[in-house]
Amino acid sequence: MKFRSRRAQLASLGLAAMLLTVSGVALAQETAAEPSKAAAVDPNKVIATVDGQPVTEADLQQAIQDLDQQFARLPEEQKRAAALSAVIEIRLLADEARAKGFDKSDEYKRRMAFLEQRALHGEVIEKEVAATITDEDVRKRYDTEMANTPPVNEVHARHILVKTKEEAEAVIKQLDGGAKFEDIAKEKSSDPGSGAQGGDLGWFGPGQMVPEFETAAFALEPGSYTKQPVQSQFGWHIILVEDKRAKQPPAFEQVKEQFRSLLLREKYFALVKQLRADGKIEVTDPDLKKGVDAIEQSEK
């Protein structure tokens, strides 16, 4: 609803170019998705040749894995064809680059060294971080977080929104006289979303409404309405609380991957912290050192 808190409110270069962008993926992208699970096939099966050099099923699966985000919406057979097309393009252009000596430049060697480091970085994350997090670890963390989370109440409320205090006071008089809240809301509320539903806002918890509205709603007992108009930036409200309840925590199946990511992040940064402490690191640029130190502090 409009009165809710504001807090609550180089593809043109072809497939090969897209594949090259994989070298810059972030940590979350390196660990978020598993390789596509194709039907059991021989990874050494040759599915194509490029200038006499074989392209195997394993090569194709690697391309599909690296291009997962670009091809996620494609049917499996289209995905395989697109990935093979990318492999062919890459091999042809790579051969062209070698023929012209591009692989001998210092810039290329620096890039390849960095890409190797990135790949090894990913191997450590996969084998020494992600692989150590079990389903039992995730469930235990969920149970702990749920047990340590203070209970939160929700209210089911209706409201009537009008422009002036006088209009709001007149509505309260009608309610005091026995008029039905839903009928007045449909007739007079200027909130088109809830007005047509008899003022019904459904269930909401702390922080989902503007402060004035929230304070008044949570102060009411079920079945009662505000005896004084409540002003907010949207106008004047008359609020009726239908019911209250303790908010139910999210089911484990709904949030388990979030908790897995949380554990992954914690284990990753714990490992990095240990390696930083054991390693010999010196940042000689004062400004860069300040920035790096700030980043390290934010990761704790």
Side-chain angles (χ1 to χ4, degrees):
M1 315 320 172
K2 63 180 180 180
F3 56 94
R4 288 185 184 268
S5 169
R6 288 186 173 86
R7 291 180 293 174
Q9 304 175 319
L10 264 184
S12 62
L13 292 181
L15 299 174
M18 290 192 294
L19 181 57
L20 293 177
T21 66
V22 173
S23 64
V25 293
L27 165 63
Q29 293 172 319
E30 289 182 62
T31 59
E34 295 182 356
S36 299
K37 295 181 179 179
V41 293
D42 180 2
N44 297 314
K45 178 184 178 182
V46 176
I47 57 176
T49 60
V50 179
D51 289 337
Q53 297 300 309
V55 178
T56 66
E57 181 66 34
D59 296 328
L60 182 63
Q61 289 304 316
Q62 183 66 56
I64 291 174
Q65 178 184 343
D66 289 347
L67 286 164
D68 183 66
Q69 288 188 319
Q70 286 84 0
F71 295 157
R73 296 182 180 181
L74 290 178
E76 190 62 29
E77 285 308 310
Q78 290 185 32
K79 183 185 298 186
R80 287 171 57 81
L84 179 56
S85 180
V87 171
I88 293 170
E89 289 179 25
I90 290 169
R91 296 236 182 147
L92 289 172
L93 270 67
D95 289 345
E96 178 74 4
R98 291 191 188 94
K100 294 184 176 180
F102 294 165
D103 57 326
K104 302 298 191 296
S105 70
D106 290 340
E107 179 184 359
Y108 173 80
K109 292 176 181 178
R110 283 193 298 268
R111 180 183 298 178
M112 289 305 299
F114 180 72
L115 292 179
E116 180 184 27
Q117 292 160 4
R118 287 283 293 182
L120 291 170
H121 167 269
E123 288 294 302
V124 172
I125 293 171
E126 180 183 344
K127 293 180 172 59
E128 295 191 5
V129 181
T132 66
I133 300 172
T134 67
D135 291 341
E136 290 75 17
D137 293 332
V138 178
R139 181 72 202 209
K140 183 178 179 179
R141 183 55 176 269
Y142 167 85
D143 290 340
T144 300
E145 292 291 338
M146 295 302 103
N148 293 334
T149 300
V152 175
N153 289 325
E154 294 181 308
V155 299
H156 179 194
R158 297 177 184 269
H159 86 135
I160 299 167
L161 178 65
V162 292
K163 293 182 179 180
T164 68
K165 183 179 181 181
E166 291 73 24
E167 289 178 278
E169 290 172 338
V171 168
I172 293 173
K173 286 183 178 181
Q174 286 183 268
L175 294 171
D176 290 342
K180 192 174 181 179
F181 196 97
E182 295 93 316
D183 293 340
I184 301 177
K186 290 178 181 178
E187 178 186 353
K188 296 185 176 182
S189 182
S190 61
D191 176 15
S194 70
Q197 306 301 319
D200 194 2
L201 300 170
W203 291 93
F204 58 87
Q208 292 183 264
M209 300 293 182
V210 290
E212 306 90 343
F213 189 101
E214 178 182 303
T215 299
F218 277 88
L220 290 169
E221 292 299 320
S224 63
Y225 56 87
T226 48
K227 297 299 183 178
Q228 296 295 326
V230 177
Q231 186 180 22
S232 78
Q233 67 208 69
F234 303 105
W236 294 85
H237 308 262
I238 305 90
I239 306 167
L240 167 68
V241 168
E242 297 272 18
D243 201 0
K244 291 185 176 181
R245 69 183 181 188
K247 185 177 181 180
Q248 295 300 306
F252 174 68
E253 291 299 322
Q254 291 180 303
V255 295
K256 67 179 181 180
E257 293 309 317
Q258 296 176 36
F259 279 94
R260 191 182 301 278
S261 296
L262 177 62
L263 288 173
L264 176 62
R265 174 183 170 83
E266 291 175 349
K267 285 179 174 285
Y268 171 78
F269 284 121
L271 176 60
V272 169
K273 182 179 179 180
Q274 175 191 328
L275 294 175
R276 283 183 185 274
D278 295 341
K280 296 179 180 180
I281 303 167
E282 181 181 4
V283 182
T284 55
D285 184 296
D287 291 332
L288 279 175
K289 177 173 173 43
K290 186 183 300 184
V292 169
D293 289 345
I295 291 172
E296 290 182 32
Q297 287 299 316
S298 71
E299 293 174 350
K300 293 181 179 179

